[in-house]
Amino acid sequence: MTTQPCDTCIVDKEPTHGAYTNHSPAGRELEVDLLSSLDISVAACRGALTGLMNEIIEGHVRAQILAPAERPTAAQRLASEQLLEIIKAFLK
């Protein structure tokens, strides 16, 4: 028996068992639950990577540009702080 692709199902073929579709309400609920979990996981990963990128950039600016050994001028310190504020706003 063959089945047609289903508009409500994520998976139309299972690699080891041939064609199948799950048209039951429980199957659709499971798909929605899985998609919700995936959305939450992706959002959490994006947030974590954004935070990490912010920390890396800020650390680099502070270590390389604002390093006491480099003797940054007041203008350089102000420009660096403004740059960090812009980056934080952009990465939100």
Side-chain angles (χ1 to χ4, degrees):
M1 177 170 116
T2 61
T3 60
Q4 296 298 319
C6 175
D7 292 336
T8 61
C9 297
I10 298 170
V11 179
D12 290 319
K13 287 194 174 194
E14 189 173 84
T16 57
H17 300 300
Y20 86 96
T21 55
N22 186 350
H23 297 279
S24 71
R28 281 186 224 126
E29 287 178 23
L30 177 61
E31 287 180 23
V32 169
D33 288 345
L34 291 173
L35 286 175
S36 294
S37 293
L38 183 60
D39 285 345
I40 292 168
S41 297
V42 169
C45 289
R46 286 185 67 196
L49 288 174
T50 298
L52 177 61
M53 183 60 68
N54 187 36
E55 292 292 322
I56 290 170
I57 293 170
E58 184 175 348
H60 179 73
V61 168
R62 292 195 187 284
Q64 300 298 320
I65 298 171
L66 296 177
E70 299 297 323
R71 297 180 187 216
T73 65
Q76 288 173 319
R77 285 191 298 273
L78 178 62
S80 296
E81 292 302 325
Q82 289 172 342
L83 174 65
L84 291 174
E85 287 178 25
I86 291 168
I87 291 170
K88 284 179 185 178
F90 179 75
L91 290 177
K92 280 187 178 180

